[in-house]
């Protein structure tokens, strides 16, 4: 109990960052959960706020842990292609994850790890102020929306995170495992594209 109160306190202190750079430095020093012991690098996220779109995945994998950059492995290459298919350049959006450290052997993030890392993602979104959020997979969507739901429910609706519209699609790693899902994922991307175009006017 004492331990979780302590880590909560750490996160509360950390979210006082006034800029992304400041927050990135705080994340780099984070030892709020056990994942710090096995990581090579924290993976804060990268990109820009140019298109006012933030894309959120689950957690760094081996390639990301190695490089400190999000979505640089196979799933990342597919994500880059998915974005370019709807005319979005990676550098114009901000890409990050629910967890900033790699879970060993790419296991699913534990609820406690998600909770510990939550302040960082919330603060990133507060600083970036996107007009839209694209959640990749159920873990990112459930974390943002704070409610359990099936992928079907999540994909069928446009949700809201603190008033910011959230579109949910399959995680690119899931698409690599189940190529049949690429068709429905394409529908999700078109929906996102329509929203972005409408916002541009
Ligand atoms: N999968 C994720 O969810 N995030 C990454 O950064 C890489 C793979």
């Amino acid at each position: 109990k004492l331990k979780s109160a302590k880590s909560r306190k750490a996160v509360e202190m950390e979210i006082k960052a006034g800029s992304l750079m400041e927050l990135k430095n705080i994340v780099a020093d984070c030892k709020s959960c056990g994942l710090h012991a096995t990581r090579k690098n924290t993976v804060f996220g990268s990109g820009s706020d140019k298109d006012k779109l933030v894309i959120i995945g689950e957690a760094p994998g081996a390639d990301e842990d190695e490089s400190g950059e999000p979505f640089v492995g196979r799933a990342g290459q597919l994500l880059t292609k998915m974005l370019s298919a709807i005319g979005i350049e990676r550098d114009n959006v901000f890409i990050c994850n629910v967890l900033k450290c790699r879970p060993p052997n790419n296991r699913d993030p534990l609820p406690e790890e998600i909770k510990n890392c939550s302040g960082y993602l919330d603060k990133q979104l507060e600083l970036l102020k996107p007009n839209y959020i694209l959640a990749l997979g159920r873990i990112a969507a459930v974390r943002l929306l704070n409610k359990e739901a099936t992928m079907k429910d999540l994909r069928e609706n446009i949700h809201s995170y603190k008033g910011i519209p959230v579109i949910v699609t399959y995680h690119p790693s899931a698409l690599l495992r189940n190529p049949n899902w690429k068709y429905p994922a394409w529908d999700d991307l078109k929906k996102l594209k329509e929203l972005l175009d409408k916002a541009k006017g």
Side-chain angles (χ1 to χ4, degrees):
K1 224 178 170 185
L2 189 67
K3 204 171 164 213
S4 70
K6 229 168 115 188
S7 38
R8 252 202 315 279
K9 201 165 164 216
V11 170
E12 272 163 26
M13 274 160 53
E14 283 149 6
I15 61 174
K16 281 186 186 146
S19 69
L20 276 186
M21 211 49 217
E22 229 178 289
L23 185 62
K24 186 174 179 173
N25 290 333
I26 292 167
V27 168
D29 286 338
C30 183
K31 292 188 173 66
S32 288
C33 80
L35 295 182
H36 81 273
T38 47
R39 74 178 178 224
K40 285 188 183 154
N41 287 292
T42 53
V43 180
F44 179 70
S46 63
S48 75
D49 60 0
K50 190 159 183 272
D51 281 354
K52 292 275 166 206
L53 172 66
V54 173
I55 300 178
I56 304 172
E58 188 176 309
D63 296 312
E64 292 78 21
D65 181 52
E66 193 69 49
S67 65
E69 291 295 318
F71 282 99
V72 291
R74 269 184 80 219
Q77 285 158 24
L78 178 56
L79 176 63
T80 305
K81 278 192 208 155
M82 288 161 68
L83 294 177
S84 83
I86 53 166
I88 292 177
E89 270 183 54
R90 239 187 107 121
D91 289 350
N92 293 346
V93 303
F94 194 86
I95 302 178
C96 59
N97 287 298
V98 171
L99 292 194
K100 310 307 184 204
C101 295
R102 181 192 184 205
N105 305 315
N106 300 341
R107 65 157 167 75
D108 282 350
L110 303 174
E112 190 61 24
E113 291 162 353
I114 294 176
K115 211 163 35 164
N116 260 310
C117 232
S118 269
Y120 298 137
L121 182 59
D122 289 333
K123 192 71 192 180
Q124 284 179 306
L125 291 168
E126 190 189 314
L127 291 166
L128 284 158
K129 297 184 180 56
N131 290 338
Y132 294 97
I133 296 171
L134 177 66
L136 302 173
R138 224 181 68 83
I139 294 214
V142 166
R143 154 61 190 94
L144 286 172
L145 307 177
N146 227 348
K147 62 170 188 200
E148 285 298 324
T150 61
M151 262 316 265
K152 184 173 182 292
D153 291 339
L154 290 166
R155 290 186 46 249
E156 271 173 5
N157 297 293
I158 295 170
H159 307 268
S160 166
Y161 166 89
K162 298 182 181 175
I164 304 167
V166 177
I167 291 109
V168 182
T169 191
Y170 294 105
H171 192 288
S173 300
L175 298 178
L176 290 171
R177 286 192 304 269
N178 303 283
N180 285 343
W181 291 351
K182 284 188 183 173
Y183 295 100
W186 176 235
D187 291 335
D188 302 334
L189 291 173
K190 281 192 293 193
K191 187 165 74 178
L192 173 67
K193 170 79 173 152
E194 265 171 41
L195 288 172
L196 294 175
D197 286 349
K198 229 191 264 171
K200 271 188 199 157

